């Protein structure tokens, strides 16, 4: 089967280790359902799946304060806890959050490394299937299920790497992405 578009899918099994609890609305089952849908035979040959690299502290600090990054590290390294009523974290949340923040960066790097030219089977768009999510995390505060603002980090990264003045972010959710807006 020939596909007009190949989509880069950036995801990791590490995301399931971010344990928010069985009844939390943002849980590993959401990721599992998406992964199952992507295995549909209709997508055969249309997806290229890669593992994300973790974001570095310097990349996190394109958006977040050093204090914020440090607080997340300390809490995770001490076994975890609750940042607020909606935002739990466990020790495995840190590697998951670093990979989630690195997913957009991995997508940018992979897509940017491809040669320009006529259409090819190489991906020209990306879909990052990650958790924890990020659109509520502000520069100084994790909140609303979000530890780091993954999309804002990717936007600042591509602005810096490619010297872009503006990046369009479409936040498709049922409520306001306050951290991304900030």
């Amino acid at each position: 089967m020939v596909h007009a578009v190949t989509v880069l899918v950036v995801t990791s099994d590490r995301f399931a280790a971010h344990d928010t609890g069985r009844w939390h609305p943002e849980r590993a089952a959401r990721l599992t359902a998406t992964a199952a849908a992507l295995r549909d035979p209709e997508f055969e040959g249309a997806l290229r799946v890669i593992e994300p690299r973790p974001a570095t502290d310097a990349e996190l600090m394109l958006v977040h304060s050093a204090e914020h990054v440090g607080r997340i590290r300390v809490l995770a390294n001490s076994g975890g806890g609750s940042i607020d009523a909606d935002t739990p974290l466990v020790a495995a949340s840190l590697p998951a959050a670093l990979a989630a923040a690195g997913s957009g960066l991995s997508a940018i790097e992979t897509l940017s490394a491809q040669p320009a030219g006529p259409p090819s089977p190489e991906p020209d768009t990306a879909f990052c299937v990650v958790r924890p999510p990020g659109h509520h995390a502000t520069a100084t505060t994790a909140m609303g299920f979000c530890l780091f603002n993954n999309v804002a980090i990717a936007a600042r990264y591509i602005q810096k790497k490619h010297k872009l003045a503006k990046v369009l972010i479409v936040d498709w959710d049922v409520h306001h992405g306050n951290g991304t807006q900030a």
Side-chain angles (χ1 to χ4, degrees):
M1 179 181 289
V2 177
H3 293 275
V5 174
T6 300
V7 176
L8 179 69
V9 177
V10 186
T11 194
S12 175
D13 292 339
R14 287 179 281 186
F15 301 139
H18 170 58
D19 186 3
T20 55
R22 183 175 179 182
W23 303 111
H24 195 281
E26 198 294 301
R27 59 186 178 274
R30 291 169 41 144
L31 191 75
T32 305
T34 303
L38 293 175
R39 286 191 296 274
D40 187 303
E42 182 177 339
F43 295 121
E44 188 175 331
L47 306 176
R48 178 176 160 209
V49 181
I50 66 167
E51 183 83 15
R53 68 166 179 84
T56 66
D57 282 3
E59 291 162 340
L60 297 174
M61 288 187 279
L62 291 170
V63 171
H64 297 288
S65 68
E67 294 78 17
H68 173 72
V69 173
R71 278 192 301 274
I72 299 297
R73 282 192 178 284
V74 167
L75 187 56
N77 291 337
S78 66
S82 288
I83 294 168
D84 62 26
D86 292 327
T87 316
L89 102 141
V90 296
S93 298
L94 181 60
L98 294 173
S103 292
L105 310 180
S106 296
I108 290 164
E109 291 163 353
T110 301
L111 296 176
S112 296
Q114 296 177 29
S120 73
E122 290 300 312
D124 60 0
T125 190
F127 178 41
C128 299
V129 184
V130 308
R131 59 185 299 271
H135 76 162
H136 291 302
T138 67
T140 60
T141 308
M143 67 175 82
F145 317 161
C146 307
L147 304 179
F148 301 120
N149 198 310
N150 310 322
V151 169
I153 293 165
R156 290 290 185 225
Y157 177 81
I158 199 167
Q159 282 180 307
K160 183 178 176 184
K161 180 176 176 130
H162 294 286
K163 299 182 181 14
L164 300 173
K166 295 181 181 183
V167 173
L168 174 66
I169 297 172
V170 178
D171 186 347
W172 184 3
D173 201 345
V174 296
H175 59 270
H176 180 226
N178 60 302
T180 304
Q181 179 182 353

